[in-house]
Amino acid sequence: MNSNQQSRADTAVDENMDVEHLDGNKYEVKGKYEVDPIEKTCECPDWDYRVDHCKHLVAVYLEWQMENVTPPQSGGNDGLTRPQPLVPIYDRVPEYLTSRPQWVCWEYQNVSDEGGEKDWTKVPIDANSGGFGSSTDEETWTTFSAARDYDEADTDRTDGVGFCVNEDDDLIGIDIDDCRDRETGEIDEPIQDVVEEVGSYCEVSPSGTGLRIFVRGEWPLESNQTDLIAGDAELEVYEWGRYLTDSGYHVDETPTEVTDDTDTIDQFASIMEPGYER
């Protein structure tokens, strides 16, 4: 951060600037300036000759981090319009994850399925080379700080960072899709009941419509995927061979750190295999 950026960041912290979420990616600051943090624009008079972020844009970022306003989220996925993921809050990703060199960046790519229908998929990116990454090739992984720096420097291409689970760690990644309203933040009631019992770190997925849980331990089942108990929600569990995109949007009811918690593991094992007992 250069001196001009630091000055505006300090001003955004010290000055009382009301931030209101209008709709989509639009915010109003101080009751008169419209800010778009995705396009990085502001209606303030000095925006045209600024080469860095103005204090109003910084104020919007700060309000996201303090969870005072709704972050910009995708309006849906029709297979043609590029989804708009949450802007990552890097500082809230747990240290147990950030201390491990198992990170890639990722980007949305539009691909066609066997029937010719187009949809968006998350493709891993090697932050070391800029080429394609792989959840099974450690040569394409890097440190959290390197992945973060690459994502922040190349935001026109990348959409965030992701963590690769592998056989050499004690981490389990749990992915629950289609269980959260992207606009209101409300989690479907049956899933909310499950989340309230989770004893390890849980965050909102970058799409804003799902949840990620990281827990330490050993997965006791051979099965790792099932339709969950509520509507369209689907549960996937991974110990190795996959990467999970990270947002840093911690779910309040859960711990802020990744814990060793057999109760959480058993809870999801019993969902996948009714009647399961350790």
Side-chain angles (χ1 to χ4, degrees):
M1 180 180 291
N2 62 37
S3 59
N4 288 333
Q5 289 175 314
Q6 184 64 60
S7 176
R8 286 193 286 281
D10 292 341
T11 301
V13 172
D14 296 335
E15 186 177 336
N16 183 19
M17 290 189 285
D18 292 331
V19 177
E20 179 182 355
H21 184 211
L22 300 176
D23 59 66
N25 298 329
K26 305 295 185 181
Y27 295 80
E28 186 177 74
V29 180
K30 299 181 69 173
K32 56 183 177 180
Y33 299 129
E34 185 174 292
V35 175
D36 185 332
I38 299 303
E39 297 297 328
K40 295 184 173 62
T41 61
C42 179
E43 292 182 340
C44 66
D46 59 354
W47 178 261
D48 288 341
Y49 63 85
R50 292 280 192 202
V51 295
D52 299 309
H53 299 340
C54 71
K55 64 183 180 181
H56 308 112
L57 183 57
V58 174
V60 174
Y61 289 144
L62 292 173
E63 290 297 284
W64 289 348
Q65 293 185 19
M66 292 185 288
E67 299 181 350
N68 292 332
V69 296
T70 304
Q73 300 180 11
S74 167
N77 185 3
D78 58 10
L80 299 175
T81 304
R82 184 184 181 90
Q84 180 59 60
L86 297 172
V87 177
I89 306 179
Y90 296 112
D91 293 340
R92 293 192 178 180
V93 179
E95 183 181 1
Y96 199 81
L97 300 178
T98 61
S99 63
R100 295 172 176 269
Q102 296 168 224
W103 291 89
V104 293
C105 291
W106 66 274
E107 66 171 333
Y108 275 120
Q109 287 193 2
N110 203 333
V111 299
S112 299
D113 60 20
E114 294 180 357
E117 294 292 327
K118 286 187 173 294
D119 203 354
W120 293 92
T121 188
K122 301 180 183 73
V123 176
I125 299 296
D126 179 355
N128 299 308
S129 67
F132 290 120
S134 169
S135 59
T136 58
D137 183 359
E138 296 184 17
E139 294 298 318
T140 67
W141 304 350
T142 189
T143 63
F144 176 77
S145 60
R148 171 179 179 167
D149 289 347
Y150 186 87
D151 179 52
E152 290 182 326
D154 196 13
T155 52
D156 287 342
R157 178 191 183 192
T158 59
D159 291 294
V161 298
F163 182 85
C164 301
V165 292
N166 70 30
E167 293 179 296
D168 295 330
D169 61 37
D170 62 348
L171 284 160
I172 299 172
I174 299 172
D175 186 14
I176 311 176
D177 291 326
D178 300 321
C179 65
R180 180 182 184 272
D181 187 292
R182 62 169 59 88
E183 297 300 331
T184 66
E186 183 177 355
I187 299 172
D188 295 346
E189 186 172 341
I191 308 304
Q192 179 63 42
D193 293 340
V194 172
V195 170
E196 289 176 357
E197 300 299 322
V198 168
S200 191
Y201 175 77
C202 177
E203 68 173 24
V204 178
S205 64
S207 69
T209 62
L211 301 174
R212 300 273 193 274
I213 299 163
F214 288 93
V215 61
R216 293 157 52 195
E218 182 177 347
W219 183 244
L221 305 180
E222 293 183 5
S223 172
N224 66 355
Q225 181 170 331
T226 186
D227 290 334
L228 201 54
I229 53 178
D232 296 327
E234 185 174 275
L235 171 66
E236 297 175 302
V237 179
Y238 301 107
E239 282 189 288
W240 60 276
R242 290 292 296 269
Y243 84 100
L244 292 91
T245 55
D246 286 77
S247 71
Y249 284 81
H250 171 248
V251 175
D252 289 339
E253 297 87 350
T254 67
T256 57
E257 298 296 332
V258 179
T259 67
D260 185 344
D261 188 68
T262 56
D263 289 341
T264 294
I265 296 170
D266 289 347
Q267 177 187 24
F268 286 97
S270 65
I271 293 173
M272 285 192 167
E273 188 175 292
Y276 160 81
E277 292 184 6
R278 182 174 290 273

